[in-house]
Structure formats: structure tokens, C-alpha cells
Amino acid sequence: MNSRRLVPLAPLAALAAMLVSAPASAELAVGAKAPNFTAQGALAGNPIDVSLAKRLKQGPVVLYFYPKAFTQGCTLEAHAFAEASDDFAKAGASVVGMSNDDVPTLQKFSKEACRDKFAVASATPQIVAKYDVALARPGMPAGLTKRTSYVIGKNGRVAFVHSDLDWRDHVKLTLEAVRRMKAGKKG
């Protein structure tokens, strides 16, 4: 009789497991106007101000949010973006990483993990809310961001979104999107 009670619960348990393991979704849709911001950050260990509007004047921006500096996935992702930095530059795009880490942490992260190749900035609670990248999961500290990558066109509109806590496809997919933009292709 107990097994009969468990059978109807099995599909619900499977659905719950899929939802928990499903990639996080970003709320900014392709075509949406990317919220402008200026944030404190670092490049090559030096403190800087990062302005989305100023960067967009130079070309598309790959804005990627990551949960926490010096965690395994975030460090590997930063290494991958650093290794592809020349490819992004050839495609006309700049890369900016964002987390809620403080500037001294970002200064160190920009040298060690980002290898002096791209800027990282401190995502304020307002930026996190505007980009809808708050990572809210049981057992996780407050203030972390989802691992979400946006490609923002020079016109300030979101051209591509990838949101997945697995870091491995972020560089590949954003670079493909930037190259499509350069070639004048959609999708």
C-alpha cells in the first residue's frame, strides 16, 4: 500500500528534480534595452570605472555575470574569456565580467583569473535587479549572481542571452553571437 502512495509522487519528484537542475533563466529578452550602468571595477589590477554607455560607443559588449570571484567555475570561466579576448576584439566586442565582489577582490581577480585581458566590475544590488540575475537558491549566500551572459549590440539592445550555471558554453556561445553580429546575421 505504501508503494501505491509513492507512485503518484514519482512524477512530481522527477519534475522537481528537473526544475532544480535546469539552467537558470535570464529575464532580459533578446531585443530588450540593456539597462545602462557605471560601476566600480578593475582592469589589470587597477581600479577603474566601467560604463556600459562608453563601452557601447566602441562596439558590442559581452556582459557576463558570474557568482563569485575565485570559485572554481568562475575562475575557469574568466580564464576562458581571457584566452578568447583576442577573438572578441577581432569581432569588435569588449568583455566585462560582473559579480557582487568588492573592488579589492576584483583587482586581484582581474590580474590572476582574467589575466589582465578584460575589465571586471562590482554589480550593485540595483544592477543585479535591473538585469534580473540574482541567484536565489536554498543554502546559497545572498547577493550572488546567476551565471548569465549577455551580448549587447552597439545600439544598446540585448542581442543574445545565455544563462546556465555551467560555465563551459558561455565563451563559445557569446563569441558566436558577436561574430554573427559582425557578419550582419540574425540569430
Side-chain angles (χ1 to χ4, degrees):
M1 203 176 236
N2 282 345
S3 62
R4 283 188 178 171
R5 283 189 221 161
L6 293 178
V7 171
L9 294 178
L12 291 175
L15 177 62
M18 286 188 329
L19 291 174
V20 169
S21 64
S25 63
E27 295 301 323
L28 288 185
V30 170
K33 185 76 172 159
N36 194 25
F37 65 85
T38 299
Q40 294 181 325
L43 176 62
N46 300 307
I48 62 167
D49 286 333
V50 177
S51 165
L52 179 62
K54 286 181 182 176
R55 287 184 177 265
L56 287 173
K57 287 179 183 176
Q58 299 168 12
V61 173
V62 174
L63 178 64
Y64 85 93
F65 290 87
Y66 59 94
K68 188 88 177 132
F70 296 110
T71 56
Q72 183 179 5
C74 297
T75 299
L76 291 169
E77 182 179 30
H79 288 174
F81 270 110
E83 288 173 12
S85 63
D86 289 342
D87 294 326
F88 281 105
K90 286 176 189 169
S94 62
V95 174
V96 175
M98 290 196 93
S99 68
N100 77 338
D101 292 298
D102 60 26
V103 174
T105 300
L106 293 175
Q107 286 178 270
K108 187 176 176 185
F109 192 69
S110 72
K111 285 202 72 56
E112 294 177 19
C114 306
R115 301 178 177 161
D116 300 341
K117 298 287 189 177
F118 60 92
V120 286
S122 186
T124 64
Q126 294 81 7
I127 294 170
V128 170
K130 286 179 182 178
Y131 279 87
D132 198 18
V133 291
L135 179 60
R137 289 206 171 161
M140 300 287 283
L144 299 180
T145 65
K146 297 175 190 174
R147 188 177 313 281
T148 301
S149 297
Y150 292 102
V151 175
I152 303 168
K154 197 170 177 177
N155 63 0
R157 300 242 172 237
V158 174
F160 177 81
V161 182
H162 180 66
S163 191
D164 189 339
L165 282 175
D166 187 335
W167 65 273
R168 288 175 276 204
D169 285 335
H170 286 263
V171 172
K172 177 183 82 168
L173 295 174
T174 55
L175 185 56
E176 287 172 0
V178 169
R179 286 176 172 157
R180 282 192 305 271
M181 286 175 68
K182 184 174 182 174
K185 298 176 184 174
K186 296 263 183 188

